[in-house]
Amino acid sequence: MKKIIAANWKMNKTISETKSFFHNFRNQSSLLAEGCEIIIFPPFTSIVEAVRECENTDIKIGAQNCYYESSGAFTGEISAEMIRDIGAEYVILGHSERRKYFCETDEIINKKIHKALKNSLKVIFCVGESFETRKNGKVNEWIERQIKNGLKGLSKENFKNIVIAYEPIWAIGTGKAINAESADEVVKFIKKYLADNFDSESVILYGGSVKSDNVREFMGLEDIGGLLVGGASLSAESFAEIIFASG
Ligand code: PGA
């Protein structure tokens, strides 16, 4: 099974910056380890350009969000159909920034996941606890609730197209990644939960302050199927270093 290295660009990069990223990224070609599946999530406005840049490569492109209706009077929203239409193959759903700044509940995320899967998009579903929750020893309960509600109604077949990203909120963008042992505990908990409750399995990524110097700690863990990288994916050089370090 190939390990996944995914780049979440968040609200960064114009079209010309996207072009220049891929130009630089191609120059790191020797670093594009065959052992990894690379997925890049640009902002909506750069997806078409990114898809074009990645034609005839194995790099996949995804969107950072989608809406749960197909079309209609939903000003500002973009549907799963539209994302598929421009050549993206993945979508990130349940990211903590969407939960926090855009008030996305487990129920909304669940509807989006169903819609994305119906439209043949693969989903990277994010879960993760706050520092407070960790301090109170409630990590497993928290993650269990997010998974139970977020993945409600999915079939065993659906799980082939679901990747789960464990991203502790306090580790995102802070430079303080979780230690590998604690990440491993949560990942193992998720695996067991999926097996017990959905009779399914899924690739599980770690995300939160991943950099080239901590990649090996996470990738060395048997149950971690890859990484979701934010800040360190914005430069082609540092993203390529991460891919190299994970090979
Ligand atoms: P970070 O973001 O790598 O900048 O911590 C990860 C994410 O939000 O997916």
Side-chain angles (χ1 to χ4, degrees):
M1 182 76 121
K2 276 190 176 182
K3 297 245 178 179
I4 292 175
I5 310 290
N8 176 10
W9 285 358
K10 311 193 181 187
M11 197 175 71
N12 292 291
K13 293 197 192 296
T14 59
I15 291 180
S16 66
E17 287 163 348
T18 300
K19 276 189 189 154
S20 116
F21 173 93
F22 283 106
H23 176 78
N24 295 337
F25 198 52
R26 267 193 299 274
N27 290 342
Q28 322 277 330
S29 59
S30 61
L31 301 178
L32 296 184
E34 282 123 40
C36 299
E37 164 133 322
I38 299 165
I39 315 165
I40 298 183
F41 294 84
F44 284 126
T45 46
S46 282
I47 290 179
V48 170
E49 186 59 37
V51 168
R52 194 175 306 142
E53 291 283 348
C54 294
E55 258 169 18
N56 307 318
T57 75
D58 290 332
I59 303 170
K60 307 272 193 271
I61 301 299
Q64 297 170 21
N65 182 29
C66 72
Y67 196 52
Y68 55 75
E69 295 287 353
S70 300
S71 62
F74 303 101
T75 302
E77 290 299 318
I78 298 198
S79 68
E81 285 86 342
M82 291 166 180
I83 291 168
R84 210 42 241 189
D85 189 42
I86 54 174
E89 294 175 62
Y90 280 82
V91 62
I92 296 176
L93 293 170
H95 192 282
S96 62
E97 287 151 16
R98 301 277 334 157
R99 294 179 192 261
K100 178 174 174 199
Y101 300 122
F102 304 97
C103 307
E104 290 196 9
T105 60
D106 290 341
E107 290 67 32
I108 291 174
I109 294 160
N110 180 249
K111 284 198 205 175
K112 290 184 172 192
I113 291 176
H114 279 276
K115 193 67 179 178
L117 292 172
K118 256 191 211 112
N119 284 284
S120 309
L121 288 169
K122 293 187 180 154
V123 173
I124 296 193
F125 169 54
C126 302
V127 296
E129 81 288 355
S130 66
F131 193 68
E132 186 80 13
T133 303
R134 176 159 285 272
K135 220 174 54 194
N136 295 335
K138 302 255 188 269
V139 175
N140 289 1
E141 272 168 57
W142 182 270
I143 302 286
E144 177 173 332
R145 196 211 70 232
Q146 288 187 322
I147 293 182
K148 182 172 163 222
N149 297 337
L151 301 184
K152 200 182 219 159
L154 293 195
S155 67
K156 201 172 157 76
E157 193 60 24
N158 288 150
F159 274 87
K160 290 186 188 142
N161 295 313
I162 292 273
V163 171
I164 296 183
Y166 168 55
E167 298 203 303
I169 300 169
W170 51 272
I172 295 177
T174 58
K176 289 186 220 129
I178 195 171
N179 68 59
E181 214 171 275
S182 308
D184 197 38
E185 278 171 20
V186 179
V187 169
K188 285 197 159 60
F189 172 77
I190 295 174
K191 285 226 146 168
K192 182 164 175 2
Y193 186 83
L194 295 182
D196 292 349
N197 294 276
F198 292 96
D199 185 27
S200 296
E201 49 183 19
S202 149
V203 174
I204 304 177
L205 314 182
Y206 168 74
S209 295
V210 171
K211 296 193 193 65
S212 58
D213 54 12
N214 60 18
V215 163
R216 281 200 181 87
E217 286 170 43
F218 296 109
M219 295 298 270
L221 298 170
E222 201 187 317
D223 290 319
I224 291 193
L227 303 165
L228 179 54
V229 189
S233 72
L234 290 173
S235 117
E237 291 75 13
S238 78
F239 189 50
E241 271 176 36
I242 287 174
I243 294 166
F244 186 56
S246 61

